[in-house]
Amino acid sequence: MSAKISVEPFGESFECADGETILDAALRNGFFLKYGCRHGGCGTCKVVMSEGDVEGEGSSFAISAGERADGVVLACSSRPATDCTIDVDSMELTEDEFRAGDQVASFEVELASLERLTHDTCALSLALQPPASIAFTDGQFVNVVVPGTDMVRSYSLANAPEDSDRIDLIVKLLPGGAFSALLESGLHVGDSLTLHGPLGELRLRLSHRKVLMVAGGSGLAPFLSMLRNLERRGRSREIDLVFGARTRADLYLVGELERLVAALPGVTFVPALSEPDDELWTGERGLVTEVIARRYTSLDGYDAYLAGPPAMIEASIPLITGLGVRPANVHFDAFVSSRR
Amino acid sequence: MAGKRSLIDVHEKSKGYDWDYPDTDPKYPSRFIIPKTGKDPFRMLVRDYVRMEEEKDARTYGFLDGALRMRVAETAEPRFMEALKLTLPDLTNAEFQAVSGVGMIARGIGNQELRQGYYAQMLDEVRHTQLEMSLRRYYVEHAPDPAGWDVAQRALYQHPGGHVSLALFQNFNTGDVIDAVINLNVVVETAYTNILLVATPETAVANGDHALATTFLSIQSDEARHMANGYGTLFAVLQDESNVPLVNEALERHFWHSHRGLDALVGWQSEYGAVHRPWAYKDQWQEWVGDDFIGSYIDKLTDFGVEAPTRLAKVAHDVSWIHHSTALALAAIWPLNFWRSDVMGPADMEWFDSHYPGWAEVYGPFWQGHAAMADPSSGRLMLQELPSLPPFCQVCQLPCIMPRPDRSEIRVFEHGGRNIAVCSEGCEWIFHRWPKAYEGRKSFWQKYHGWDLADVILDLGYVRPDGVTLMGQPSVSLERLWTIEDIRRIGFEIKDPLAS
């Protein structure tokens, strides 16, 4: 049974087919709602359900308990159980943008290089095919279509927006992951891929506060893009980047990070190993949460940015808000592995 | 439906016409290159606009009748009502200056699409003035102590607090039109009206004044369109790269000046004009100015070359202190006020020190002294305890004890044969960059140099109908009120600290 979805503040409505998500129905009907990963991981498509009821579940990281209590749902993961009214005001869409439909572009790319950074992490550089340019904000991600399927995988761009002719990604190889399997064996330099984007709302916001960046796993990518962008623009900020890894062999691009630190006054790089297997390791030891708790007696006057495994983000948020970061100043991308 | 469509067509067509003015020279020439085409940010027919506003007016005015029966003015916290005697006329002054400002902007902007928005904004600003005057009429008729409400607008313009308001809001209608847009629509309306018109109603409700909450929220519902006017204009002028440094300089100037004037006065009303405080003012600022205005609005414009004000970190720091220093100054000069100040008791002091660590050390002794001298039998005034009166800043008109009396950043220099004081590096930069805009202002102390305080009060007319009892009092709860004779007995003479 289809349901009617009314959208405020635009006073518009559309039909949502049985089993269809609110996001898919909006896009099919020619309306635009902001979205990202499309599987409940990133939180970009948050809307407020002011009337009606939905079925579906979102990642516990994408919606806080407080938001859930306020009626926030994820449009990409919610299927209406009744007619619904949603309020999309928080997406800050203009009416023109809403009515213009989905403008997120598709790109054809060619794998220009594939480099193994660690035993389970790869760096991909993708050359854009004509039209060979993508406009994105440092911190955004793209959805890469897994060849031969309709599945997509979300990865943050690691290059600076000025390098608009290519897309650099950092991919964590997950056991049994569809894209991971392809990278391990089937994908070669020169092969073509399709991707959609750019997507996501993570960006380094203008502020008078200092910045704490916390990266784990492949979560370094958006911060690399931000730092490279600051370098290109000749700007700097007071930033502490805490990069957590298990062992020394799991750290990657350390040389590039040290180069950026040298070029950007005010930026500090703090590598941290949870299981240092090297006695010569003089850096921080412990989980990133332990490192933060040890290094900072107060984070009052900081903005915090988090990217990495959901468990790291889940553990970090109460710690850093407890140390004084205002909840509104905590920004994150949870790299929830796709369930589809 | 067909009729409506044709009206929309006519409206759209009308924006294709431009006006010929008999006097082609604007009052203030613009340094900006203003594109001839733009996008009407208002996008509303007058007919629809009037229908919408009529409904909002009916709800707001209707509530005043309800307020009468609910005895809102009689039961609201006196401390809140008294502080409003300064801040509400301050706001009405802002509306007056904005009426004139959008007139100047509409006349000078030379872009028919943008002009539509400013015509409608002028209607809004007049509406706001009327709403505020109706609220004030309600107060003057029903407040337990109407003294001050009856003369509020005239009293404001004579008072140092009114000088802060004038210095800030006259920029709406004085100078380059785009500069005025950046001041009015971008900084004051986009960055600050949420604090002023959304947070203040929360404080009003917490202190029992639903009438003010209703009026302010009705006013705020118009502000989104004014923000759109500002954004539309900013976006249009940013299309020409030569305008970018001018935009940044105007933003630098007005962000600093608005911080001085608004954070001082709105912060004062929000915390010292309240018994119940739903927010700490610094948290309001972090949310609406820090996160929304800088972190979202300005952030999105950085792709077009707009930069965060260079004094942003300094502003963020001073926001924790300047309203406390303003409160101290306004309480110290209480005989010169046209409202009753109040004593800050133990519960107030505990709240301040817990929300602003270090407050008790800096401000605690002053408030203890203020309480001790509140009764006329003390025969003492805090003014007598000061080594000298603090000069007023030639730019923002705040007393030069900012951000804190123990960390004053006052600068004094000679200009045009007289001593000029400014409160800070930011105001000093503004003064030297635009001296003509500020050098002519005379200071309050200069006007009354050598006068007995009692004669100053009589000259200002801040006495009650009996001719002897002061409008200004040090406390809202005094049984015996100070009279002009109490002041004359003290024999305090005003001495201009800048007199040579």
Side-chain angles (χ1 to χ4, degrees), chain B residues 210-222:
Chain B
H210 292 267
L212 178 123
T214 299
T215 303
F216 275 28
L217 290 172
S218 186
I219 291 172
Q220 180 64 5
S221 65
D222 291 333

Side-chain angles (χ1 to χ4, degrees), chain A residues 209 326 328-329, chain B residues 285-296:
Chain A
R209 305 181 194 95
R326 302 169 67 245
N329 299 140
Chain B
W285 189 94
Q286 293 283 348
E287 175 161 343
W288 279 306
V289 181
D291 290 347
D292 287 359
F293 181 66
I294 298 293
S296 180

Side-chain angles (χ1 to χ4, degrees), chain B residues 203 265-274 276-281 284:
Chain B
T203 310
L265 291 176
V266 184
W268 173 74
Q269 169 75 59
S270 161
E271 294 184 355
Y272 290 85
H276 310 288
R277 304 175 183 91
W279 299 68
Y281 184 77
Q284 301 175 22

Side-chain angles (χ1 to χ4, degrees), chain A residues 119-166:
Chain A
H119 75 282
D120 65 353
T121 309
C122 291
L124 281 68
S125 191
L126 307 168
L128 287 159
Q129 303 304 298
S133 180
I134 179 168
F136 67 96
T137 308
D138 42 327
Q140 285 193 295
F141 61 91
V142 290
N143 283 340
V144 181
V145 179
V146 180
T149 73
D150 63 351
M151 294 187 293
V152 295
R153 294 290 179 268
S154 304
Y155 300 108
S156 293
L157 288 89
N159 47 314
E162 273 194 18
D163 294 327
S164 58
D165 61 340
R166 67 168 205 270

Side-chain angles (χ1 to χ4, degrees), chain A residues 92 95-96 203-209 233 235 326 328-329, chain B residues 39 285-287 291 294-295 298-300 302 307-308 312 316:
Chain A
E92 296 184 359
E95 189 159 355
D96 287 346
R203 66 179 199 279
L204 185 59
R205 287 159 189 261
L206 206 56
S207 151
H208 58 281
R209 305 181 194 95
R233 295 171 70 153
R235 301 283 170 82
R326 302 169 67 245
N329 299 140
Chain B
K39 200 170 175 188
W285 189 94
Q286 293 283 348
E287 175 161 343
D291 290 347
I294 298 293
I298 296 294
D299 191 26
K300 285 176 188 159
T302 54
E307 293 175 10
L312 173 62

Side-chain angles (χ1 to χ4, degrees), chain A residues 92-114:
Chain A
E92 296 184 359
L93 290 170
T94 65
E95 189 159 355
D96 287 346
E97 287 169 337
F98 172 69
R99 294 185 187 284
D102 190 2
Q103 301 290 309
V104 174
S106 290
F107 295 89
E108 297 301 319
V109 296
E110 188 181 289
L111 183 62
S113 71
L114 174 60

